């Protein structure tokens, strides 16, 4: 594949409902999309960052790194496969979400070129993947219970609720009183410290599948201490940026489950390596979500088809988060709580160019030997 052109496009999408965690409240998400053209085909990727609360990356940093570092070493070059990009990007430290956006677009393009589903190209073996749903912090416990009921009726196989100090034990008591048997996990987004150990121990009585990222976003050592003190499995998210991070976390006993976010680890190449490390040690993994548009969600579905993804991921239907998604067809969830893995070449979903253009706030395009940018409404690449 010779990368002939790349387009960066920032869009702004309103959520169907606000999403609140211990870190922030989101009602509208800014998303940087990457569109790659090669050999008459087009592949799409998505930078999953927005505010610098989950990681240091933002749409501005992703745009900068893509424009000034990643795209210049990609355009005009021949690539035998998308997996060749990751080693080429390695000298650039961090900025995994920017790297993933471009690399994943090339994986999508390569799958089309080979006439095979993206999931199959990356090593997936599943025909459908298990779907869970993430429920943000609500204004009241009653609203939370109503939201959980709604998601269970939609068929989701497990519920994840966000917690933080002051919204944890009492909330879980109410949830378990109404839903004593549902598969349930909690996500703290690093809201606690070891000083909260007595309170975190209380979570053991709620029979949780796991507690995700209870302590600091970059910590392994204190998580290992906490895992020795509690029976509930700890799942790590933010500190697992590579296969080496996963290896270290598992060697010191910092967790028993790993959340793999495609953007956080830098794309399909790295995600497969993290998956392989965990699978070799018998540690289950699952796909975490970052409020992706349909483009990023399609990539998550492909990744979740890998054999080690044995737990339901954050793979909710498009309508769960977006008033209107930017792909056709939109992602849906079956009555049995699964999403079917597309069997057509590429991601299996088609970006809706009109919706994307309507949501666009800036565009910049790059061709072999030239570059130009434009403001909303302009088409930097032909549709």
């Amino acid at each position: 594949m010779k990368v002939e052109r790349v387009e960066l496009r920032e869009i702004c999408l309103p959520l169907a409902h606000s999403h609140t965690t211990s870190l922030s409240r989101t009602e509208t998400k800014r998303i940087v999309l990457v569109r790659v053209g090669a050999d008459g085909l087009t592949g799409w990727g998505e930078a999953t960052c927005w505010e610098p609360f989950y990681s240091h990356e933002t749409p501005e940093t992703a745009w900068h790194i893509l424009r000034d570092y990643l795209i210049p070493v990609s355009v005009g070059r021949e690539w035998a496969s998308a997996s060749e990009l990751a080693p080429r990007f390695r000298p650039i430290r961090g900025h995994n979400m920017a790297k993933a956006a471009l690399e994943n677009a090339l994986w999508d393009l390569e799958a089309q070129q080979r006439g095979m589903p993206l999931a199959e190209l990356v090593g997936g073996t599943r025909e459908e993947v298990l779907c869970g749903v993430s429920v943000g912090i609500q204004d009241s416990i009653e609203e939370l219970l109503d939201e959980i009921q709604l998601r269970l009726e939609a068929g989701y196989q497990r519920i994840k609720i966000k917690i933080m100090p002051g919204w944890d034990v009492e909330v879980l008591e109410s949830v378990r009183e109404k839903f004593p048997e549902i598969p349930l996990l909690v996500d703290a987004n690093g809201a606690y410290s070891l000083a909260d150990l007595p309170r975190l121990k209380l979570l053991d009585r709620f029979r949780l599948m796991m507690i995700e990222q209870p302590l600091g976003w970059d910590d392994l050592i204190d998580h290992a201490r906490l895992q020795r003190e509690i029976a509930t499995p700890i799942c790590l998210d933010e500190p697992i940026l590579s296969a080496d991070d996963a290896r270290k976390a598992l060697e010191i006993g910092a967790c028993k489950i790993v959340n793999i976010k495609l953007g956080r680890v830098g794309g399909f190449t790295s995600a497969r390596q993290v998956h392989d490390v965990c699978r070799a040690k018998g540690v289950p993994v699952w796909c975490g979500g970052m409020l992706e548009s349909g483009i990023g969600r399609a990539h998550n579905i492909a990744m979740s088809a890998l054999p080690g993804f044995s737990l339901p991921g954050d793979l909710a239907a498009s309508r769960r988060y977006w008033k209107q998604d930017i792909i056709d067809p939109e992602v849906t969830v079956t009555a049995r709580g699964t999403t079917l893995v597309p069997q057509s070449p590429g991601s299996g979903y088609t970006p809706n160019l009109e919706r994307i253009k309507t949501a666009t706030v800036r565009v910049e395009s790059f061709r072999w030997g030239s570059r130009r940018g434009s403001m909303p409404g302009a088409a930097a690449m032909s549709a």
Side-chain angles (χ1 to χ4, degrees):
M1 298 176 289
K2 183 173 183 178
V3 177
E4 300 157 354
R5 62 197 190 278
V6 179
E7 175 190 88
L8 295 182
R9 183 180 290 265
E10 182 182 343
I11 64 173
C12 190
L13 283 184
L15 272 74
H17 310 280
S18 62
H19 188 72
T20 303
T21 73
S22 64
L23 301 174
S24 65
R25 182 182 182 93
T26 303
E27 296 184 353
T28 301
K29 191 182 179 192
R30 298 169 57 200
I31 299 171
V32 173
L33 300 177
V34 177
R35 188 182 183 189
V36 177
D39 302 330
L41 299 170
T42 300
W44 289 81
E46 175 177 336
T48 56
C49 50
W50 70 101
E51 295 173 326
F53 303 132
Y54 174 82
S55 80
H56 63 276
E57 293 188 73
T58 68
E60 283 79 13
T61 65
W63 195 282
H64 159 53
I65 294 298
L66 282 158
R67 179 193 64 202
D68 297 329
Y69 294 95
L70 302 178
I71 292 173
V73 301
S74 305
V75 173
R77 293 178 180 268
E78 290 277 359
W79 302 96
S81 71
S83 62
E84 290 187 344
L85 266 72
R88 188 68 180 83
F89 291 167
R90 193 168 295 128
I92 300 168
R93 297 188 181 184
H95 302 284
N96 281 357
M97 295 179 185
K99 293 175 181 177
L102 182 52
E103 184 195 315
N104 293 348
L106 209 61
W107 278 99
D108 177 24
L109 194 150
E110 181 181 348
Q112 296 174 54
Q113 187 183 57
R114 293 176 181 269
M116 61 193 303
L118 176 59
E120 181 182 347
L121 179 63
V122 301
T125 58
R126 301 176 187 275
E127 295 184 353
E128 58 184 343
V129 295
L130 306 177
C131 296
V133 68
S134 177
V135 178
I137 294 170
Q138 306 294 304
D139 292 333
S140 69
I141 292 177
E142 290 71 23
E143 289 182 37
L144 173 65
L145 297 177
D146 289 344
E147 179 70 11
I148 292 173
Q149 182 66 49
L150 185 65
R151 301 309 160 193
L152 291 172
E153 291 172 356
Y156 290 101
Q157 295 203 14
R158 64 97 173 121
I159 301 292
K160 177 172 82 173
I161 64 174
K162 299 287 186 175
I163 63 169
M164 64 181 183
W167 181 267
D168 46 25
V169 175
E170 292 79 6
V171 171
L172 286 169
E173 287 175 341
S174 296
V175 171
R176 273 305 187 209
E177 182 178 355
K178 184 170 182 179
F179 307 105
E181 301 300 331
I182 64 169
L184 181 68
L185 67 98
V186 296
D187 182 7
N189 290 113
Y192 298 85
S193 72
L194 285 180
D196 299 301
L197 181 57
R199 193 159 190 85
L200 290 170
K201 285 184 174 181
L202 296 177
L203 301 185
D204 280 344
R205 71 177 192 244
F206 298 113
R207 307 182 314 282
L208 301 172
M209 297 173 65
M210 68 192 83
I211 174 171
E212 184 181 358
Q213 201 63 39
L215 308 180
W217 66 273
D218 59 348
D219 172 73
L220 295 181
I221 301 299
D222 283 355
H223 277 107
R225 160 81 184 280
L226 177 61
Q227 186 64 92
R228 292 193 296 269
E229 297 283 342
I230 64 175
T232 304
I234 289 174
C235 170
L236 286 184
D237 178 355
E238 286 95 324
I240 308 300
L241 304 177
S242 67
D244 206 40
D245 290 334
R247 176 188 62 79
K248 292 173 183 176
L250 297 178
E251 283 185 359
I252 67 172
C255 64
K256 296 180 180 179
I257 300 170
V258 171
N259 166 334
I260 301 180
K261 288 179 177 168
L262 196 47
R264 189 193 72 231
V265 301
F268 281 113
T269 301
S270 177
R272 293 196 303 177
Q273 293 167 349
V274 175
H275 163 274
D276 292 348
V277 166
C278 293
R279 194 175 185 213
K281 294 183 175 293
V283 171
V285 300
W286 58 280
C287 173
M290 290 289 290
L291 297 182
E292 292 92 346
S293 77
I295 290 172
R297 199 168 297 270
H299 290 161
N300 286 346
I301 292 169
M303 179 181 69
S304 298
L306 287 164
F309 282 79
S310 57
L311 299 175
D314 288 336
L315 298 170
S318 294
R319 293 298 174 94
R320 164 69 180 92
Y321 292 113
W322 305 111
K323 294 180 179 178
Q324 188 172 42
D325 208 342
I326 57 170
I327 57 168
D328 293 315
E330 293 190 345
V331 175
T332 58
V333 175
T334 69
R336 58 186 177 276
T338 64
T339 289
L340 300 179
V341 177
Q343 299 302 307
S344 55
S347 74
Y349 296 91
T350 302
N352 186 301
L353 298 178
E354 289 305 315
R355 284 184 223 142
I356 290 173
K357 288 177 183 178
T358 298
T360 293
V361 296
R362 59 173 165 165
V363 180
E364 192 166 1
S365 65
F366 307 78
R367 295 178 186 270
W368 177 236
S370 67
R371 169 177 128 189
R372 67 187 174 95
S374 61
M375 294 305 292
M381 292 169 60
S382 64

